[in-house]
Each structure stands twice: as C-alpha cells, then as structure tokens.
Amino acid sequence: MALCGPATHGLSLVCSKSHARTRRPRRSRGSGVVQILAGYDVTGMEGVEVEGFDEGQLERPKWVGETPLSRFVGAVISFKPLYSLLKLGARRVLIDTAEKKNIPWREMTTEILESDVYKELESIQNPSVVYPDYYLNAFHAYDEGNLSWLAAAEAEAATLSMARRTVPDASSLDEANEVVRGNWLQAIEQHHLQYSGNSMIRDILDIGCSVGVSTGYLADKFPLAKVTGLDLSPYFVAVAQFKEKKRFPRKNPISWIHANGEDTGLSSNSFDIVSMAYVLHECPNRAIVNLVKEAFRLLRPGGTVALTDTAPKSKILQWCVGCARNQELSPVLFTLMKSTEPFLDEYYLTDLEGTMREFGFVNVTTLLTDPRHRTVTGTVPR
C-alpha cells in the first residue's frame, strides 16, 4: 500500500503554517514526494502553506491484532466494573483536553440539550430501520453508543477536538480544520477531476454523516450539487437537521436521511460522489465490506468514492505519544482508546483498498491527508 506517492497525481496538501515551520516536507518511505501545486484554488485555504506528511515504517501499528498487549487490554475491558471506570476516564480526558484547547465542549453540549432539537426526531426517524448488532455496542464511552441524545449533543465538540488534536501545532482551530478538512476535500475534487471523464458533480451522499459537520463541508465545497447526509442514528440526524435550519439558507438545501449505510434503500447509479468520513473505524469488517459494496451500487459510472479515516501507516499512531521513535503506543492511552473503539482492530486489519477493487472500483488511490488520517478514493468504471 503506497501513501503519499506518485499515485497522488499532483494533489497539493494544505498544512498549518506553524506545523510547517517545525517540520520540513520529507520523502515518504519508498513512495516519492507529494508534489505541490502552487496556486491551487481552495476556498477558505488562502494564506496557508502546503506540505506532505510522513508514513511510519509499518503497515499498521504494532498494537493491532493478537498481540500480548492487545489480549491483556481485551481482558481488562471485559471486566465490567473496570470497563465502566475506563469509560469515565476516557470521557474526562476527552472533555478536559478539548476545553484546554478552547473548545467549549460542555457549553456546546448544553446548548443542544436545552434546545428544541427533540422536535426534529419525529420528522427524521425511520421506524423501519433495523439496527445491526454491532451498532448496539457502547461507542465512545456511551452505554447506548450512538443511539442517545448525549452522544449527538457532544458530537460536534468531539469532531472539533479531533481536528485540534490532529494538528497540535496549528495556531487556531480554524487552521487545524484547514488542514484536516481542506486536504480531504482536495483529495475528493482532484480524484474526480482526473478520473470521472469530466462528469459533473450533481449529487453527493455523505454516509455516516453524524451531526452534519462533514456534510456541511461537502455542501460548501460543491455548492451546485445536491447533498444528502445519511446516518444510522436518528439522534445524530435530528441534530444535523436542527443545526442546518439555524444557518443561512443554502441555494441547494441539504437533505437528511435516517437509514443504514450498508443498505440505504436509495436508487442505484444516483450519486456522483459517495463520502464516508471517520466512519469505518467504528465498523467490524463485515460492515466495512457492505458499505463499500453499497457505495459502488449507488455511484454513477465515473463516480468517486472517498473513504476518510485513521491511517494505519500514520507515524503518529505508530509511535508512543511523548516517547522515543519506533516505540509502541503507551499502554494507558491504548487501553483508553480500546475501551471506546470496539472495532478498531478489525478496521486496521481490513485491506480497504483490496476490498474496493474486489467490488469493482478502479483508480484506487490512498493519500495521507493529515498526520493521522488517510483518504482513500476510487472510481466506478465508465
């Protein structure tokens, strides 16, 4: 699997200015240097420099799979009283870290929970949806997983915190988002421009849209397209719809759907772009396979799929935070992470690019679009 190599075809990468001062563009192992396109037009990205990101030496972190540490942590997590303490610890770390970075987590959460967002649920919830067994697990330290108002109310703050954590040297949250979201959007646009055969972007589907953060970015980047956000949690979609109603009206309003991304019920060949942002690491392998298969069915010939998530070859994830190079993630951080992400191992062990090719995608390209995340794109043959 080659990241940041010649397969990027000249895609420019946006990096924070402060980050660029401390790290020079370096050659990815065995894959060349990301080429930089001077003057590439990215709305809202003015004034920031561009740079590539480094891969680690491994195909995936050492702590993935049947390692002694992984088995030990699994045993710890299976002990319910201790697991409850771990979840509380994980939540405290997430919230305190976010607020130290000037993300008002508790204030944002309260604002949603004390609003009239609850009225949106009746109009958005699809009573015929059957939740797969894996989705009923506890995610992100919530006993109900994504099926709760608290999870939905905290989702945006958690998303902002992720961007800030991904680019810690950024001078502001806006600059961190310019890197994380800007590079992701560029990867989608550049892939479609190169491989779609000049087909227009008329319809975009954001599967696993959560509370609509990624959906809004897609709508802003492609304002002429009709954008649809779809999520399996009716609480998330209700918050997305509620927040979208509060903003200035768009020329093309976003549509919101409560459905299972593995079997959306939407018409075949009806979208030009299908995006999944930070979804797959929450899914077992069987769900990842089904999501890729469904994306292929939904896309028109020449359409682009874009799968953005944590990068197995990210140096940040392969190193211990605060430790010397080439050491494993610290056991404490690893335990906290595993206690809130039950399917992380399955995600890292999945050959995502191979799965995409198996279902018919061509021009499969993987790019490290920020220090922690990759964007994998592919095309439905014309």
Side-chain angles (χ1 to χ4, degrees), residues 37-183:
L37 292 180
Y40 193 92
D41 181 20
V42 186
T43 303
M45 302 296 124
E46 297 84 354
V48 294
E49 300 176 16
V50 292
E51 175 192 3
F53 299 100
D54 291 336
E55 298 175 354
Q57 298 181 15
L58 309 173
E59 288 299 314
R60 58 184 62 86
K62 287 183 179 179
W63 40 262
V64 169
E66 289 298 314
T67 65
L69 176 59
S70 184
R71 287 194 294 270
F72 172 74
V73 171
V76 169
I77 292 173
S78 67
F79 184 58
K80 296 298 183 183
L82 188 53
Y83 176 55
S84 297
L85 290 176
L86 285 171
K87 287 193 298 181
L88 290 174
R91 276 186 54 76
R92 180 172 297 176
V93 168
L94 287 171
I95 296 172
D96 289 348
T97 300
E99 297 200 330
K100 286 177 182 178
K101 294 292 186 179
N102 297 318
I103 298 169
W105 183 301
R106 293 177 177 88
E107 181 182 337
M108 293 174 68
T109 301
T110 300
E111 184 178 349
I112 292 294
L113 293 177
E114 293 183 354
S115 72
D116 55 354
V117 66
Y118 309 99
K119 298 177 182 178
E120 305 293 336
L121 188 64
E122 183 177 351
S123 66
I124 204 72
Q125 188 167 22
N126 180 359
S128 66
V129 168
V130 177
Y131 298 102
D133 57 353
Y134 74 84
Y135 200 73
L136 302 177
N137 280 320
F139 287 104
H140 301 158
Y142 304 109
D143 289 335
E144 304 88 355
N146 292 333
L147 296 173
S148 73
W149 283 114
L150 180 59
E154 293 186 329
E156 184 175 6
T159 299
L160 296 175
S161 181
M162 177 274 292
R164 201 70 176 89
R165 187 170 60 251
T166 297
V167 193
D169 295 328
S171 61
S172 66
L173 177 59
D174 286 344
E175 189 176 324
N177 271 319
E178 286 173 354
V179 177
V180 174
R181 299 295 182 173
N183 288 341

Side-chain angles (χ1 to χ4, degrees), residues 224-268:
L224 299 181
K226 179 182 177 183
V227 179
T228 300
L230 180 149
D231 201 275
L232 189 50
S233 169
Y235 306 97
F236 282 17
V237 183
V239 171
Q241 182 169 274
F242 172 77
K243 291 179 72 67
E244 186 68 14
K245 286 180 177 179
K246 298 295 183 181
R247 75 176 303 280
F248 189 79
R250 301 178 189 272
K251 181 178 180 180
N252 288 317
I254 296 174
S255 300
W256 305 101
I257 298 176
H258 172 219
N260 187 343
E262 298 177 61
D263 184 13
T264 63
L266 300 174
S267 300
S268 299

Side-chain angles (χ1 to χ4, degrees), residues 85-374:
L85 290 176
L86 285 171
K87 287 193 298 181
L88 290 174
R91 276 186 54 76
R92 180 172 297 176
V93 168
L94 287 171
I95 296 172
D96 289 348
T97 300
E99 297 200 330
K100 286 177 182 178
K101 294 292 186 179
N102 297 318
I103 298 169
W105 183 301
R106 293 177 177 88
E107 181 182 337
M108 293 174 68
T109 301
T110 300
E111 184 178 349
I112 292 294
L113 293 177
E114 293 183 354
S115 72
D116 55 354
V117 66
Y118 309 99
K119 298 177 182 178
E120 305 293 336
L121 188 64
E122 183 177 351
S123 66
I124 204 72
Q125 188 167 22
N126 180 359
S128 66
V129 168
V130 177
Y131 298 102
D133 57 353
Y134 74 84
Y135 200 73
L136 302 177
N137 280 320
F139 287 104
H140 301 158
Y142 304 109
D143 289 335
E144 304 88 355
N146 292 333
L147 296 173
S148 73
W149 283 114
L150 180 59
E154 293 186 329
E156 184 175 6
T159 299
L160 296 175
S161 181
M162 177 274 292
R164 201 70 176 89
R165 187 170 60 251
T166 297
V167 193
D169 295 328
S171 61
S172 66
L173 177 59
D174 286 344
E175 189 176 324
N177 271 319
E178 286 173 354
V179 177
V180 174
R181 299 295 182 173
N183 288 341
W184 161 64
L185 292 169
Q186 281 185 244
I188 296 173
E189 182 180 53
Q190 185 68 13
H191 188 101
H192 196 78
L193 284 172
Q194 179 153 6
Y195 296 115
S196 69
N198 297 319
S199 64
M200 292 183 59
I201 299 175
R202 295 169 291 168
D203 300 281
I204 299 174
L205 177 64
D206 188 24
I207 293 179
C209 68
S210 183
V211 295
V213 175
S214 56
T215 323
Y217 273 102
L218 288 164
D220 290 341
K221 179 66 177 178
F222 305 102
L224 299 181
K226 179 182 177 183
V227 179
T228 300
L230 180 149
D231 201 275
L232 189 50
S233 169
Y235 306 97
F236 282 17
V237 183
V239 171
Q241 182 169 274
F242 172 77
K243 291 179 72 67
E244 186 68 14
K245 286 180 177 179
K246 298 295 183 181
R247 75 176 303 280
F248 189 79
R250 301 178 189 272
K251 181 178 180 180
N252 288 317
I254 296 174
S255 300
W256 305 101
I257 298 176
H258 172 219
N260 187 343
E262 298 177 61
D263 184 13
T264 63
L266 300 174
S267 300
S268 299
N269 307 320
S270 55
F271 294 94
D272 303 293
I273 292 175
V274 170
S275 172
M276 301 180 211
Y278 314 109
V279 173
L280 300 184
H281 74 277
E282 297 184 359
C283 302
N285 175 265
R286 67 182 187 276
I288 294 173
V289 169
N290 289 337
L291 287 165
V292 171
K293 180 180 179 181
E294 180 71 351
F296 189 86
R297 183 186 72 82
L298 291 169
L299 284 164
R300 298 181 177 116
T304 298
V305 67
L307 310 175
T308 302
D309 218 306
T310 56
K313 295 193 73 173
S314 161
K315 277 188 178 179
I316 301 296
L317 297 179
Q318 292 186 7
W319 293 353
C320 167
V321 177
C323 298
R325 294 186 178 188
N326 301 326
Q327 290 187 340
E328 296 180 31
L329 192 71
S330 68
V332 173
L333 291 174
F334 177 49
T335 303
L336 287 174
M337 181 175 61
K338 291 274 283 188
S339 70
T340 60
E341 301 286 4
F343 301 111
L344 199 58
D345 268 12
E346 288 197 48
Y347 165 72
Y348 279 127
L349 292 170
T350 297
D351 178 3
L352 183 57
E353 295 89 342
T355 301
M356 292 167 65
R357 293 186 181 99
E358 179 182 345
F359 284 106
F361 284 105
V362 296
N363 307 317
V364 176
T365 304
T366 303
L367 179 67
L368 200 63
T369 41
D370 66 51
R372 290 175 178 265
H373 303 104
R374 63 177 175 175

